[in-house]
Amino acid sequence: LRRRSWSGMVCASPPRAGTWPWRGTSGSSPGVRGSRSTLRTTGQLAEIVRRGVAARGWQRIDPATRTFQALRIWVNRELDELDSFIGRAAARLQVGGRLALISFHSLEDRVVKVFFKEGSFQKKEEHPFENRTNISAFSVISKKPILPQDVEMKMNPRARSAKLRVAEKKLE
């Protein structure tokens, strides 16, 4: 993988990369800019990302971890697949039916939260002089996400980032 390729994928600030605090920085670091060498290992990529991110002292999550997460999300088109799944599930759900979704990172959680609030992914036309209220097809059952309890996280450490949101369909 050429450094410019990954730099463009991860650091070009795609519309949904907003929660990665260092987006745009790794691709512009001196170690990356103008470089034409090829990355051969994930360790090389991780080191470049660490050098490109400004030192912020101790961090709970390694910046390289977020880069690999961003690559996985991009390669697997995870957010597009999530949009597609939620749309299909909502269409098949009868009025009064409940939709429960588990998200594992903030980008997924935002998609679920907005869908439940808005009732669709389509942007509504805004008219500045028209007094409109947004009516969602869903009624949110869990205002805040349901998080795993300590016992569950001890038994299954991967559950620590899980967030469960539930909504009931109220309109067709």
Side-chain angles (χ1 to χ4, degrees):
L1 179 66
R2 293 228 177 251
R3 290 183 189 189
R4 286 182 185 230
S5 299
W6 77 263
S7 174
M9 288 186 299
V10 177
C11 303
S13 298
R16 292 183 174 176
T19 60
W20 190 38
W22 309 291
R23 74 182 186 282
T25 58
S26 300
S28 60
S29 71
V32 176
R33 190 180 31 227
S35 176
R36 295 206 179 265
S37 62
T38 300
L39 294 172
R40 302 223 183 272
T41 68
T42 56
Q44 290 174 320
L45 175 57
E47 185 56 37
I48 289 169
V49 171
R50 287 186 199 108
R51 278 186 297 176
V53 173
R56 295 181 171 202
W58 182 84
Q59 298 169 16
R60 189 172 61 90
I61 298 175
D62 185 332
T65 300
R66 294 211 177 178
T67 298
F68 289 114
Q69 180 184 29
L71 283 169
R72 188 200 74 229
I73 291 168
W74 183 80
V75 166
N76 295 333
R77 300 185 58 213
E78 290 179 16
L79 298 176
D80 294 335
E81 293 297 323
L82 179 61
D83 288 352
S84 176
F85 170 77
I86 294 174
R88 289 191 319 269
R92 291 183 179 189
L93 197 62
Q94 294 180 2
V95 173
R98 292 188 176 187
L99 183 57
L101 297 168
I102 300 174
S103 59
F104 291 94
H105 56 76
S106 60
L107 293 175
E108 288 176 345
D109 192 51
R110 183 180 299 148
V111 169
V112 173
K113 183 178 176 179
V114 168
F115 183 83
F116 284 166
K117 182 181 176 189
E118 302 291 329
S120 73
F121 293 117
Q122 298 167 3
K123 296 221 181 240
K124 297 186 174 39
E125 216 177 295
E126 291 189 28
H127 300 284
F129 302 110
E130 187 177 325
N131 188 8
R132 284 178 42 167
T133 56
N134 184 18
I135 299 174
S136 173
F138 288 90
S139 175
V140 177
I141 302 297
S142 57
K143 299 287 182 201
K144 293 190 178 221
I146 300 166
L147 304 174
Q149 296 178 346
D150 291 339
V151 173
E152 184 176 358
M153 288 190 289
K154 284 180 184 172
M155 290 175 22
N156 180 10
R158 292 180 292 182
R160 73 185 181 279
S161 62
K163 293 181 181 181
L164 172 65
R165 291 188 184 270
V166 183
E168 184 175 309
K169 190 169 184 180
K170 62 181 182 180
L171 302 172
E172 261 317 311

